[in-house]
Amino acid sequence: MNFSTCLRPNYRRAREIKADLDDIQSEIEAAEAKGDFSRVQDLKESLHELQHAFFLTGVTSEYDL
C-alpha cells in the first residue's frame, strides 16, 4: 500500500471548492447590498462548510492553487 498517495493534497477538489467559495462570497455581497440579512446568515453558514471542506483537501492555501 502506498501511503504517500493518501497524504497528497487534492488540488482538483480544492479548485472546485475555491470556485464555489468565490460564488458564495459574491452572493453574500449582493444580499448585503439588498439588506437581506437572513440570506446573508444562511450563505455564511454555507461558506463556513465549504471552508472546512477546503481544509480537508490538504491544500494549505488558496494561493497554492
Side-chain angles (χ1 to χ4, degrees), residues 1-11 55-60:
M1 180 180 238
N2 187 354
F3 289 104
S4 65
T5 59
C6 296
L7 301 176
R8 288 192 321 213
N10 187 341
Y11 289 102
F55 171 77
L56 293 177
T57 65
V59 176
T60 57

Side-chain angles (χ1 to χ4, degrees), residues 26-37:
S26 297
E27 289 182 43
I28 288 173
E29 291 169 5
E32 286 175 336
K34 290 180 187 176
D36 189 2
F37 295 107

